[in-house]
Amino acid sequence: MGRKRNFIDALVLVTVIAILVYVIMRTVTFLMAEYGPIDKAMAIILIAGEFFILLHSIGYALDVGRAVRREEKTYPDLPAQKPSVAILVAARHEPKEVLAKTFITLINLNYPNKTVYFLDDSSDEEYLREAEEICREYGLRLYRRKERHGAKAGIINDCLKMLSDKYVAIFDADQNPMPEFLNALIPILEGDPKLAFVQTPQFYTNIGDSPVSRGAAFQQAVFYEYICEGKSAGDAMFCCGTNIVFRRDALVSVGGFDESTVTEDFATSIKLHSSGWKSLYYGRVSAFGMAPKDLAGYFKQQFRWAAGTVSVFRTLLRILLTKPFSLNLLQWWEYLLSSTYYFIGISFFILMLCPVAYIFFKLPSFFMDPRIYVLAFIPYIVLSISVFYKVLAERRYKVRDLFVGQLLGAAAFSVYIRGAMSGLIGRKLSFGITSKTKGNAIPYIKLWPQISMMILNFSAVV
């Protein structure tokens, strides 16, 4: 185990060095080039797209390094006097069959001192009636509010005001925890009074339903493996909105969940960390959910995540300017990486467009000497790919499955761009659930960005 860890450590170090060498060579040749105005504009756009991806590549490599160096912790046993836990599931117009599966697993959690709440925010009579039926059938506490505000964050905050439990567990409507979920997490929180929350992974079980659900599942896997472990090692793990247990006092101390964004989980994590609370990622799979089954559901989910995350980036910049010491250096690094991730759609677009521009219009007209480029580029790209696939292969992920996830992400480039721009300008979004059933196919006209880029690139290849 030690030799394997040392090998991955060395691979990460060499990869970061190779990336930095490539950045230096690209920068030097760019500054030396004699560009005209149009050439220079295209060259700046290209190098910006490259450098954004390189920055996040370094972030991923460093997370991997911290993850493999992290020592396994031992946690205390569950105390004899088990603290009370309120389990909250907020839902609006969710299918009854999906909710039933979730509540069955929640009432079967092997933890005696728990109360399960159904936070029903529906407005349709049929869903209101079904919520009451489910509560009667499974012995749940039904919570509703008179005035809607803040979507999921708002109803959780309203419910928090009436709770006195020490801990609050939160699940999405389609998440099914394993029986020992609370027995594993409560001792961790009991062992550290400054720990605000413990986050667990979210893995999808319906990967066989469609190529979309399969791709989405392996995108999630990449995030919940080394990235979350690396963030947690630097006390920068953020809340992912589900499969999580909070210390109620921590949430109350920062005014509850942030209601200003649809990614209330991410925004609230910043409030907690900047107030001195800690977080932890518990990497064992403890709950299972459902991936979007079609492109419509996947694009809707990704748009919401992109818009919400980038809107928090604006908030993060304001905190950086006004309270620069509220987070430590590593936390700033991780939060800035996470909050800017969805700008990757712009980078994808640039890297697809620039080869076409060069082949058809010779823009930009100057590149570095091919021999120098190869010497700088080949080590960086080979090592970056090696780190990504090697470390995930250690956990039995197949290259083919990971590639499907990457391909799905690239296909969503236009969704990421729209979402990022919406978040950047502060456009107010309403919260919407991700469909758990397969819907109608997206009309081809709505896929015009993807189809246009395919035609352009095919024409360039020809």
Side-chain angles (χ1 to χ4, degrees), residues 91-102 118 127 130 134 173 433-437:
R92 175 176 168 81
H93 301 162
E94 289 279 4
K96 185 178 180 180
E97 60 273 16
V98 171
L99 290 167
K101 290 178 182 177
T102 295
F118 182 5
Y127 288 102
E130 287 180 353
I134 289 173
I433 65 168
T434 301
S435 175
K436 312 301 186 302
T437 58

Side-chain angles (χ1 to χ4, degrees), residues 184-260:
L185 269 60
I186 297 303
I188 300 174
L189 286 154
E190 286 285 278
D192 187 349
K194 290 302 293 178
L195 198 56
F197 63 84
V198 179
Q199 176 68 60
T200 69
Q202 179 181 173
F203 277 85
Y204 297 142
T205 57
N206 61 331
I207 62 175
D209 287 354
S210 71
V212 172
S213 57
R214 191 173 192 84
F218 286 102
Q219 281 183 334
Q220 289 286 84
V222 170
F223 173 70
Y224 281 112
E225 293 288 356
Y226 293 94
I227 294 176
C228 286
E229 291 170 17
K231 289 180 184 300
S232 186
D235 191 26
M237 182 61 204
F238 57 80
C239 164
C240 299
T242 184
N243 309 345
I244 187 169
V245 180
F246 280 94
R247 189 181 304 275
R248 187 181 62 85
D249 286 349
L251 270 180
V252 171
S253 73
V254 296
F257 277 97
D258 191 316
E259 298 182 26
S260 65

Side-chain angles (χ1 to χ4, degrees), residues 75 114 174 202 214 354:
Y75 300 106
K114 67 180 186 293
D174 64 318
Q202 179 181 173
R214 191 173 192 84
C354 281

Side-chain angles (χ1 to χ4, degrees), residues 52-291:
F52 178 84
I53 290 178
L54 290 167
L55 181 69
H56 282 263
S57 296
I58 290 174
Y60 179 75
L62 294 177
D63 278 338
V64 169
R66 282 194 297 275
V68 298
R69 287 193 303 273
R70 188 174 64 161
E71 299 292 335
E72 283 289 331
K73 293 183 178 180
T74 56
Y75 300 106
D77 294 330
L78 194 64
Q81 189 69 29
K82 297 173 179 60
S84 62
V85 181
I87 302 172
L88 311 184
V89 177
R92 175 176 168 81
H93 301 162
E94 289 279 4
K96 185 178 180 180
E97 60 273 16
V98 171
L99 290 167
K101 290 178 182 177
T102 295
F103 285 121
I104 287 172
T105 61
L106 292 177
I107 62 175
N108 285 328
L109 286 174
N110 188 21
Y111 189 88
N113 196 6
K114 67 180 186 293
T115 308
V116 183
Y117 291 84
F118 182 5
L119 280 53
D120 180 36
D121 217 14
S122 302
S123 55
D124 184 279
E125 285 296 329
E126 181 182 353
Y127 288 102
L128 291 169
R129 186 180 67 255
E130 287 180 353
E132 292 165 5
E133 291 172 358
I134 289 173
C135 288
R136 283 196 300 270
E137 186 173 351
Y138 298 110
L140 313 174
R141 298 276 185 93
L142 179 61
Y143 177 82
R144 286 180 176 142
R145 54 182 176 168
K146 294 180 179 179
E147 295 182 7
R148 294 190 72 244
H149 59 90
K152 176 184 173 182
I155 194 170
I156 291 176
N157 287 341
D158 288 346
C159 184
L160 276 175
K161 295 172 185 176
M162 54 162 278
L163 298 178
S164 58
D165 305 83
K166 187 172 184 179
Y167 298 111
V168 176
I170 296 175
F171 295 93
D172 280 349
D174 64 318
Q175 295 296 315
N176 304 153
M178 298 174 73
E180 298 301 313
F181 183 91
L182 292 175
N183 291 334
L185 269 60
I186 297 303
I188 300 174
L189 286 154
E190 286 285 278
D192 187 349
K194 290 302 293 178
L195 198 56
F197 63 84
V198 179
Q199 176 68 60
T200 69
Q202 179 181 173
F203 277 85
Y204 297 142
T205 57
N206 61 331
I207 62 175
D209 287 354
S210 71
V212 172
S213 57
R214 191 173 192 84
F218 286 102
Q219 281 183 334
Q220 289 286 84
V222 170
F223 173 70
Y224 281 112
E225 293 288 356
Y226 293 94
I227 294 176
C228 286
E229 291 170 17
K231 289 180 184 300
S232 186
D235 191 26
M237 182 61 204
F238 57 80
C239 164
C240 299
T242 184
N243 309 345
I244 187 169
V245 180
F246 280 94
R247 189 181 304 275
R248 187 181 62 85
D249 286 349
L251 270 180
V252 171
S253 73
V254 296
F257 277 97
D258 191 316
E259 298 182 26
S260 65
T261 172
V262 291
T263 49
E264 74 291 329
D265 41 16
F266 186 54
T268 304
S269 303
I270 297 172
K271 289 167 62 177
L272 288 164
H273 278 131
S274 61
S275 299
W277 290 97
K278 300 194 300 185
S279 66
L280 187 134
Y281 174 67
Y282 182 76
R284 296 178 188 173
V285 180
S286 305
F288 298 91
M290 295 173 65

Side-chain angles (χ1 to χ4, degrees), residues 367-381:
F367 289 91
M368 71 170 76
D369 184 296
R371 292 167 296 181
I372 299 175
Y373 183 79
V374 167
L375 286 173
F377 178 77
I378 294 297
Y380 138 66
I381 196 67

